[in-house]
Amino acid sequence: MDRPDLRETNVFKEFLRLSSEIGSDILKTQGAGGNTSIKDDGVMWVKASGTWLAKAEAEDIMVPVVVDPLVSALRDGDPRAEKSTDFIVSELNSSGLRPSIETSFHAAIKNPVVAHYHCVNAIALAVLENRDIELAHRMRTVADLTWVTIPYRRPGTPLAKEIEKAAASRPDVLILFNHGIIVCGDTLEEVADRIERVTKALAGVTRETISPDLATLDAIAEGSGFHPARDHDSHAVALSEVNRAIALGGSLYPDHVIFLGTEIGVLQDGQSAADFQAALHNEGRDVPKMLIVPDKGVLLSSSLTAGGEVMARCLAEVVGRIPSESNVVYLSESDEYELTNWEAEQYRQALDRGSARQRA
Ligand SMILES: [Zn+2]
């Protein structure tokens, strides 16, 4: 293969720098969420699945895939577009990692530079019933940028197909309902500038809350598989009646469901986390990973990884920006089902493909 190696260039260094910048801003990226890509000579470098954008400069987390065959697969309904692993340029893939599950939409976007992240300001607007009006109002301040909205679809090929349709008009910004945002451009500078301006345009005010009561939370958590959220600002979900009502109304975006599940527990006055757990066990029900102790704070399951814990912070940032009395559009039960059974779905498809190959 005679491809020039983009990784040796300053452009690639800049790409990694922008990636880690996006990944280091908690208001843009939480845990392994978000992904960036850069296309060059038919090859796209995209963040690896499960890795943290924040580590883009410190670790080898970009995976090379061939663009055109992947886009054709997406258009043709070829199931290999879902994981995109069959489109990896193996001889360049130094990390040996798999590309992000969101790789196919990066490929479908025509611009060379694409940044997708879970901007809490964008999500807080993109879950409102009147989101079209609200977003149009905010985006008026960046009137030189073209933008579109994308209806909610499960990440992977369902979302990529919607984005592929919208990509034909080459929008600069795509706002994904109940999910996040995509900012694209021809150069890294252009994308960095657009991110800054769009972030400003969408910025919302966070509702004030009382402070968490960590001593009481410690006492309530004792002897249970829960601990008070370690991140101070994560507690805000529990510290205002409006925040609690919005958070308990349903699931707002996919990463919350994938990491924290569809249920948030609420402790009654005087109830300990251990009692709450025991009561659910007796009823044969699953114990949620996140518990709200009204006006005290948030307890998180000790089974959560760092990537799961940070989802509590994301929820706090999103619900805190949704104005009280807003009508919120939550994910439907079938959306939730799709997300919670996603692994099984992928596994089944993998098995299917395996058996098809054996037959071939
Ligand atoms: Zn995403």
Side-chain angles (χ1 to χ4, degrees):
M1 282 302 238
D2 214 3
R3 284 181 218 279
D5 198 333
L6 186 70
R7 286 169 296 182
E8 305 302 324
T9 65
N10 279 333
V11 170
F12 201 74
K13 276 192 199 93
E14 278 303 299
F15 167 62
L16 297 181
R17 200 185 54 78
L18 178 66
S19 300
S20 76
E21 218 172 83
I22 296 168
S24 305
D25 181 352
I26 189 75
L27 302 183
K28 290 192 179 82
T29 309
Q30 305 81 27
N35 31 67
T36 52
S37 67
I38 186 163
K39 301 183 190 81
D40 174 62
D41 197 23
V43 173
M44 177 176 78
W45 293 84
V46 63
K47 195 202 75 167
S49 180
T51 60
W52 292 42
L53 262 188
K55 295 178 179 161
E57 286 178 291
E59 292 172 15
D60 188 6
I61 63 161
M62 297 296 171
V63 177
V65 296
V66 281
V67 179
D68 289 346
L70 172 52
V71 176
S72 299
L74 177 67
R75 284 192 189 136
D76 297 347
D78 180 339
R80 294 178 307 153
E82 177 76 16
K83 281 190 163 182
S84 307
T85 44
D86 286 10
F87 303 94
I88 293 174
V89 186
S90 304
E91 65 271 28
L92 293 177
N93 192 21
S94 44
S95 71
L97 296 170
R98 291 160 166 248
S100 159
I101 191 75
E102 289 174 321
T103 295
S104 51
F105 80 57
H106 281 262
I109 291 172
K110 299 180 193 309
N111 301 78
V113 181
V114 177
H116 162 59
Y117 47 96
H118 300 154
C119 167
V120 296
N121 287 297
I123 299 174
L125 292 165
V127 299
L128 301 177
E129 207 173 81
N130 64 345
R131 51 201 168 190
D132 289 309
I133 298 162
E134 284 293 327
L135 287 166
H137 177 65
R138 304 302 186 95
M139 291 300 282
R140 228 174 274 157
T141 60
V142 283
D144 59 309
L145 299 182
T146 57
W147 63 283
V148 294
T149 57
I150 303 291
Y152 175 79
R153 296 285 183 272
R154 173 177 71 67
T157 43
L159 176 58
K161 279 181 191 154
E162 288 294 333
I163 290 174
E164 204 263 329
K165 278 189 258 170
S169 68
R170 280 182 155 267
D172 303 322
V173 178
L174 300 91
I175 297 172
L176 317 185
F177 285 170
N178 295 81
H179 184 144
I181 192 165
I182 302 172
V183 180
C184 2
D186 290 334
T187 64
L188 288 155
E189 267 175 354
E190 189 172 58
V191 171
D193 172 68
R194 286 173 177 175
I195 288 174
E196 198 180 314
R197 292 166 59 215
V198 170
T199 301
K200 223 174 267 172
L202 299 179
V205 180
T206 309
R207 193 171 11 267
E208 292 285 331
T209 68
I210 56 172
S211 295
D213 181 348
L214 296 174
T216 302
L217 286 176
D218 269 329
I220 289 172
E222 211 185 292
S224 74
F226 286 87
H227 61 267
R230 294 176 183 108
D231 169 71
H232 182 273
D233 293 345
S234 298
H235 292 287
V237 176
L239 300 175
S240 119
E241 207 179 320
V242 178
N243 288 2
R244 290 195 292 270
I246 296 170
L248 295 169
S251 305
L252 293 166
Y253 46 87
D255 269 8
H256 179 88
V257 176
I258 291 164
F259 287 92
L260 295 180
T262 56
E263 304 289 328
I264 296 174
V266 182
L267 295 196
Q268 303 303 312
D269 209 14
Q271 189 179 26
S272 74
D275 287 349
F276 180 81
Q277 249 175 321
L280 287 185
H281 277 310
N282 287 342
E283 293 168 31
R285 289 167 56 195
D286 287 338
V287 180
K289 295 193 163 68
M290 175 174 171
L291 305 180
I292 284 177
V293 189
D295 293 331
K296 300 287 185 274
V298 162
L299 299 179
L300 295 175
S301 166
S302 302
S303 68
L304 284 175
T305 59
E309 287 219 4
V310 80
M311 284 303 145
R313 172 67 179 274
C314 185
L315 185 63
E317 297 291 350
V318 171
V319 299
R321 283 171 169 77
I322 297 174
S324 53
E325 330 243 315
S326 299
N327 289 321
V328 173
V329 183
Y330 293 100
L331 299 184
S332 69
E333 261 179 54
S334 70
D335 295 333
E336 290 180 336
Y337 181 84
E338 247 187 336
L339 290 165
T340 47
N341 293 274
W342 191 2
E343 281 304 316
E345 177 68 20
Q346 287 181 327
Y347 184 57
R348 209 175 57 219
Q349 286 179 10
L351 288 181
D352 258 351
R353 283 201 301 283
S355 58
R357 258 184 220 129
Q358 273 165 24
R359 281 198 302 271

